[in-house]
Amino acid sequence: MSTAPLFLVDALPAGDHALLDGPEGRHAATVKRLRAGEAVLLADGRGGLAHAVVTATGRDTVELAVGERATVAPPAPRVVLAQALVKGDRGELAVEMATEAGVDVILPWRAARCVARWDDGPRGEKALARWRSTVREAAKQARRPWLPVVEEPVTTEALARRVAGAAGALVLHEGAATPLAELTGELPAAGDLLLVVGPEGGVTDAEIAALTAAGARPVRLGHEVLRASTAATVALGALGVLTGRWR
């Protein structure tokens, strides 16, 4: 039996009835082709969740009878992914899979060896908007009541400051001596757990030095070297088990 589709709204409806319109209503009516009697979930992206049933549909709208409401506690620890900019569609693939794997915050990182370059003008804003749109759709697909936040791009200097303020920080590096799987019992149970994933060309020695000086710990996933677009997903899966977030 499939789970009910989830739609994101600015705020959960206060009453027993609601109208889903705009882009979400159009998607529900024309793409999902929902019909009367079908169940849906409404989420505000901040932990608020409501169960509803379709009562009627229009061309671009869906009318709902709203039932049980709940507030889902935020995940702990909060996993922050510093994802180096990845060229082309692989960047969007990286944040899509990371969202489905449970990430809570994404920091686009302007690492030294990034092939992709986001400027501070319209091109950079467009690229950031694509990441945010990708994350929103992936969160809906994964039925997540908490919508991950995609922040503004950060430099290595700014990333080091985030590392210093986090409860724990890990840098994926193929040359690290410690496997991620060996960190059982060493990861924080609360606060921010920051995971750093480098670009296609790898993290430079200077970047490793800056991040480790700020408190980050280099770790490796295994003997294989993964793509910059897939490494975060594998690491997030391991962190979900190691931190107990999936229990």
Side-chain angles (χ1 to χ4, degrees), residues 156-157 159-166 169 208-217:
T156 299
E157 182 181 5
L159 179 56
R161 290 195 293 269
R162 292 292 290 263
V163 168
I208 285 287
L211 297 174
T212 54
R217 182 174 183 177

Side-chain angles (χ1 to χ4, degrees), residues 133-222:
S133 176
T134 298
V135 165
R136 181 182 178 89
E137 293 307 309
K140 289 163 57 178
Q141 171 66 33
R143 315 303 200 256
R144 294 191 58 177
W146 284 90
L147 177 64
V149 177
V150 182
E151 298 189 7
E152 295 289 327
V154 295
T155 62
T156 299
E157 182 181 5
L159 179 56
R161 290 195 293 269
R162 292 292 290 263
V163 168
L170 306 172
V171 183
L172 294 186
H173 192 270
E174 66 272 15
T178 305
L180 177 58
E182 291 186 2
L183 298 185
T184 304
E186 299 182 42
L187 298 174
D192 284 355
L193 173 57
L194 201 155
L195 174 68
V196 181
V197 176
E200 293 94 331
V203 182
T204 68
D205 291 343
E207 289 168 337
I208 285 287
L211 297 174
T212 54
R217 182 174 183 177
V219 295
R220 58 180 170 84
L221 289 173

Side-chain angles (χ1 to χ4, degrees), residues 75-161:
R78 190 175 78 148
V79 180
V80 179
L81 168 64
Q83 172 68 59
L85 305 183
V86 184
K87 185 178 180 180
D89 294 343
R90 288 194 175 277
E92 291 160 45
L93 175 64
V95 298
E96 176 184 41
M97 294 194 301
T99 299
E100 293 177 359
V103 76
D104 301 301
V105 179
I106 296 174
L107 303 176
W109 176 30
R110 287 171 166 151
R113 292 175 176 164
C114 286
V115 175
R117 297 290 175 183
W118 292 6
D119 57 28
D120 293 323
R123 289 182 61 186
E125 293 174 0
K126 186 177 180 180
L128 180 60
R130 284 199 301 268
W131 277 31
R132 287 173 171 164
S133 176
T134 298
V135 165
R136 181 182 178 89
E137 293 307 309
K140 289 163 57 178
Q141 171 66 33
R143 315 303 200 256
R144 294 191 58 177
W146 284 90
L147 177 64
V149 177
V150 182
E151 298 189 7
E152 295 289 327
V154 295
T155 62
T156 299
E157 182 181 5
L159 179 56
R161 290 195 293 269

